Amino acid sequence: MSYCLYCHESYSKAWSWEVLIGLEVSPLLCQDCEGRLVSVKGEICRICGRDFSIFPEQYRQGDCCFDCIRWEENESWTGILQQNRSLYVYNDFMKELIAKLKYRGDAEVVKAFYPVLSSEFKKISRDAILVPIPLSEERHYERGFNQAELLAGGLKKQVESLLKRKIHEEKQSKKTREERLSQKENPFEVVDSVKVKDQKVILVDDVYTTGSTLRCAAKVLIEAGAKEVSSITLAR
Amino acid sequence: MRFVSLFLNNRLTIAPEILVNDSSLKAVPFGELSTLEQPPLNPTFQYDKKLQQILYGKQLLFDELPFTVDQIQLHYENGYVKYSHGICKTSNGYLCSRCGNEKSRLFAMFSCFCCKNDNCVYCRNCIMMGRVSECTPLISWSGPEVRWSRGNKLHWNGELSSGQQVASKEFVERFGSDGKLLIWAVCGAGKTEVLFQGIEKALNLGLRVCIATPRTDVVLELAPRLKAVFPNTIIASYYGGSEERETPAQLVISTTHQLYRFKQAFNIMIVDEVDAFPYSYDKSLQHAVSRAVTPKHFLLYLSATPSKTMKKAAMNERLPCVKIPKRFHGFPLPVPKMVWGGEWKRRLEKGKLPAPFLKWLKAQGESGRRAMIFVSSVSVLEKLSELINRVVDVPVDSVHAEDPMRKEKVIQFRNEEIQLLVTTTILERGVTVPFLDVAVYGADHDVFTESALVQIAGRAGRSKDDHNGDVLLFHYGKSLSMIQAINHIKNMNKEAGI
Ligand SMILES: [Zn+2]
Ligand SMILES: [Zn+2]
Ligand SMILES: [Zn+2]
Ligand SMILES: [Zn+2]
């Protein structure tokens, strides 16, 4: 018997051959909580990894969503972020879960996803360096940890904190997409460009919402000489 | 946080690292300070009245106080504020001194940026109130007490039923010193009014009173009623998201969870629905109650369905008890009827409803009367409400604990915008709607304990103009709980002499 890392209820996983031989990996959550997660699977946007099955048909063109097309059409952003892949849809439950992690500071919640993170992303993270999206110094002190760093820890690979935030900016969520896009100043800077040069980098963050945070981070890495930059997030 | 130890006025004191500009002093995580020196009270210090009012009788984190670390530290240095450890090491693990948690699985550690400790331990049990970790001090008030006004007049001229009168008198006469009392009142007996006279007396003696209840809905319902009858008293309600937490209130209405914020605050603690989830099986909430009361205190328990232990204690007179077996309107409690529902679970999986249930459902739909339909789990809830929607042509909705629209749906149900409300046991208490029938789909399921069924049945017949609502238990084999619940209700009616 185990205890759900989210709601603390006890549970026992259904027995199956797939689980036994490690073909099927699930989060360390009870059936009720797991049932409220929606995995991203099936057809997805080639770039941002959004699940097409829950996305209106008219906002896609071929294997890409309109948001990504808009990014790619803008010269200064073309090819900056090679691809993003996420584990789950950012639904109400995911929002609650991430709020508990970030705003209540329950760091342990992240561990529920460690088995899934390492098995799902083993392939794409091969011969790449993992770089978590940093928090500002103040935010980091307030929270006591950086959730992106904790998530990166689940990929069982060396994590390199090669980025830092320049200034404490306004809350991202208060700005519109336009404001975020037009924001001239990139909030990130590279800490050690030598380590970045000619490397394949994978950024790690908790959630991909508009994609601007990850693209800003990717941009400074590319400018510092990274070969290619993609990203992994828990939710999309 | 990290703290440094230093000499101030020739005494060893501690100060947050961020406030000290002396790199020669070694900063250590708060949890590593083994003794916490308490400076003596400086009587000439001009303390902040607002801080006193917020902090008096509580134990809070820096983050919960609308004051800067400087301001709080200054009060500490003058003896008006006390720092204490939130997480303590014990012989076999840890203890959270806010919530009393000792279960090792409810502690976790993380690499902490505030105290630079790679294994900073924190409590997961009370995380909803902000994180208590080894390096977060709990802050309490050690300055002068808050004095309460004595002009608390009860503005109420309603009349008590004879049962209410007996209970009310018992409450008024018993307190004064230590003690406890159980008021065992059937659903619909009107237990709130029973409290009025006792609360008035207590307030005028300068005592501080708390009504604790497991559910936010009850706090929201009680607070305006009490504010209306005690217009001159400062009353605050505490629940997740409440905005009155900074009010220095003499009468507090709080969810049991929010009690974690208090320490030695209340002379009289009224625990409502003492048997209800999650109080009954959560030891740490009992800890919260015992922490929130002053060393000498009076405990009043209210329940319609006391637990076995409590009933036993009442029987051998270890716990004084008064019963109110009759509803306020004087009519008997509706007795549930058992109805064979066949394999309700299998049928549901096949997308079908059992014939007797279907028949009832159609009749109910046509009658125009509201009904609550209780189910055992969220998955049954979803399937059943979908099927019901296909069968009847009246407004149907469903609600469960995690439903973000829960409050709104209950209001819609009250306003008759929803006729049939499918619900998990979350609404087994509290919701009081006149002209209501009740059905339980799959009443033989384990979640429907004797007390759950008594509470569910207690939803029906609440108004004197409709005192006879139907209570139907659709089952696939009678359970012991069903039989016990029916006997419980019949006995109460017998005791009431009706
Ligand atoms: Zn769970
Ligand atoms: Zn896309
Ligand atoms: Zn705790
Ligand atoms: Zn710490």
Side-chain angles (χ1 to χ4, degrees), chain B residues 112 115 120 133 135:
Chain B
C112 178
C115 69
C120 187
S133 74
C135 73

Side-chain angles (χ1 to χ4, degrees), chain B residues 103-226:
Chain B
K103 289 183 190 138
S104 57
R105 66 181 173 87
L106 292 177
F107 288 100
M109 48 181 87
F110 67 107
S111 177
C112 178
F113 194 70
C114 312
C115 69
K116 318 291 178 220
N117 178 354
D118 279 339
N119 300 302
C120 187
V121 175
Y122 73 98
C123 174
R124 301 193 69 211
N125 188 55
C126 59
I127 193 92
M128 293 319 272
M129 337 228 70
R131 186 178 57 216
V132 176
S133 74
E134 279 180 305
C135 73
T136 28
L138 291 176
I139 302 160
S140 50
W141 182 254
S142 55
E145 288 178 20
V146 171
R147 297 245 160 259
W148 308 105
S149 92
R150 306 271 164 122
N152 304 279
K153 202 166 161 25
L154 172 65
H155 289 242
W156 185 69
N157 43 27
E159 231 173 88
L160 296 175
S161 72
S162 59
Q164 282 175 313
Q165 259 170 38
V166 175
S168 170
K169 197 163 156 253
E170 196 76 17
F171 175 35
V172 171
E173 282 172 4
R174 274 197 185 261
F175 76 76
S177 62
D178 280 7
K180 51 191 165 191
L181 173 67
L182 165 66
I183 296 183
W184 181 351
V186 294
C187 303
K191 57 187 174 178
T192 310
E193 294 81 3
V194 169
L195 305 176
F196 289 168
Q197 277 161 18
I199 291 176
E200 184 189 33
K201 179 180 158 195
L203 294 174
N204 286 329
L205 287 170
L207 303 176
R208 207 174 180 197
V209 182
C210 177
I211 305 177
T213 167
R215 290 172 314 111
T216 304
D217 316 63
V218 179
V219 176
L220 293 173
E221 192 196 298
L222 275 182
R225 283 176 73 189
L226 287 160

Side-chain angles (χ1 to χ4, degrees), chain B residues 89-369:
Chain B
K89 280 201 180 83
T90 61
S91 54
N92 43 15
Y94 297 95
L95 166 72
C96 171
S97 54
R98 180 167 65 178
C99 74
N101 168 34
E102 282 187 282
K103 289 183 190 138
S104 57
R105 66 181 173 87
L106 292 177
F107 288 100
M109 48 181 87
F110 67 107
S111 177
C112 178
F113 194 70
C114 312
C115 69
K116 318 291 178 220
N117 178 354
D118 279 339
N119 300 302
C120 187
V121 175
Y122 73 98
C123 174
R124 301 193 69 211
N125 188 55
C126 59
I127 193 92
M128 293 319 272
M129 337 228 70
R131 186 178 57 216
V132 176
S133 74
E134 279 180 305
C135 73
T136 28
L138 291 176
I139 302 160
S140 50
W141 182 254
S142 55
E145 288 178 20
V146 171
R147 297 245 160 259
W148 308 105
S149 92
R150 306 271 164 122
N152 304 279
K153 202 166 161 25
L154 172 65
H155 289 242
W156 185 69
N157 43 27
E159 231 173 88
L160 296 175
S161 72
S162 59
Q164 282 175 313
Q165 259 170 38
V166 175
S168 170
K169 197 163 156 253
E170 196 76 17
F171 175 35
V172 171
E173 282 172 4
R174 274 197 185 261
F175 76 76
S177 62
D178 280 7
K180 51 191 165 191
L181 173 67
L182 165 66
I183 296 183
W184 181 351
V186 294
C187 303
K191 57 187 174 178
T192 310
E193 294 81 3
V194 169
L195 305 176
F196 289 168
Q197 277 161 18
I199 291 176
E200 184 189 33
K201 179 180 158 195
L203 294 174
N204 286 329
L205 287 170
L207 303 176
R208 207 174 180 197
V209 182
C210 177
I211 305 177
T213 167
R215 290 172 314 111
T216 304
D217 316 63
V218 179
V219 176
L220 293 173
E221 192 196 298
L222 275 182
R225 283 176 73 189
L226 287 160
K227 282 178 185 168
V229 296
F230 291 108
N232 307 323
T233 305
I234 310 174
I235 301 177
S237 50
Y238 279 67
Y239 53 91
S242 76
E243 279 156 20
E244 295 178 331
R245 287 191 215 141
E246 287 171 15
T247 318
Q250 192 181 358
L251 175 57
V252 167
I253 303 145
S254 171
T255 59
T256 22
H257 267 103
Q258 295 287 332
L259 287 181
Y260 289 146
R261 297 187 196 275
F262 293 94
K263 194 174 183 187
Q264 299 199 351
F266 302 106
N267 311 90
I268 294 184
M269 173 68 78
I270 301 166
V271 188
D272 185 29
E273 304 192 334
V274 60
D275 56 298
F277 169 88
Y279 185 81
S280 60
Y281 59 84
D282 194 338
K283 270 261 180 298
S284 80
L285 285 166
Q286 297 185 21
H287 169 93
V289 169
S290 61
R291 226 178 69 108
V293 292
T294 52
K296 277 201 164 200
H297 59 263
F298 186 82
L299 267 172
L300 176 65
Y301 300 115
L302 299 175
S303 177
T305 48
S307 66
K308 269 206 188 83
T309 4
M310 209 163 248
K311 277 195 262 187
K312 216 167 157 191
M315 248 155 40
N316 29 8
E317 288 167 24
R318 277 181 295 123
L319 175 63
C321 169
V322 243
K323 266 193 202 174
I324 314 180
K326 205 190 257 182
R327 286 189 152 180
F328 183 73
H329 58 43
F331 294 98
L333 298 157
V335 181
K337 294 181 198 69
M338 297 193 264
V339 185
W340 176 253
E343 291 181 278
W344 53 269
K345 197 162 183 191
R346 287 245 334 253
R347 291 200 72 93
L348 203 60
E349 276 156 12
K350 289 185 185 157
K352 292 201 180 99
L353 291 172
F357 182 77
L358 189 66
K359 194 175 152 211
W360 169 78
L361 191 68
K362 287 188 168 156
Q364 189 73 19
E366 277 162 27
S367 75
R369 279 171 68 89

Side-chain angles (χ1 to χ4, degrees), chain A residues 199-212:
Chain A
Q199 291 294 323
K200 195 177 145 189
V201 177
I202 293 190
L203 292 165
V204 183
D205 206 359
D206 50 348
V207 42
Y208 181 115
T209 35
T210 62
S212 53

Side-chain angles (χ1 to χ4, degrees), chain A residues 45-50 52 64-69 208 236:
Chain A
C45 168
R46 174 175 58 85
I47 299 178
C48 70
R50 118 194 293 159
F52 277 145
C64 237
C65 74
F66 269 18
D67 285 340
C68 288
I69 291 169
Y208 181 115
R236 170 71 180 92

Side-chain angles (χ1 to χ4, degrees), chain A residues 4 7 30 33:
Chain A
C4 176
C7 74
C30 69
C33 290

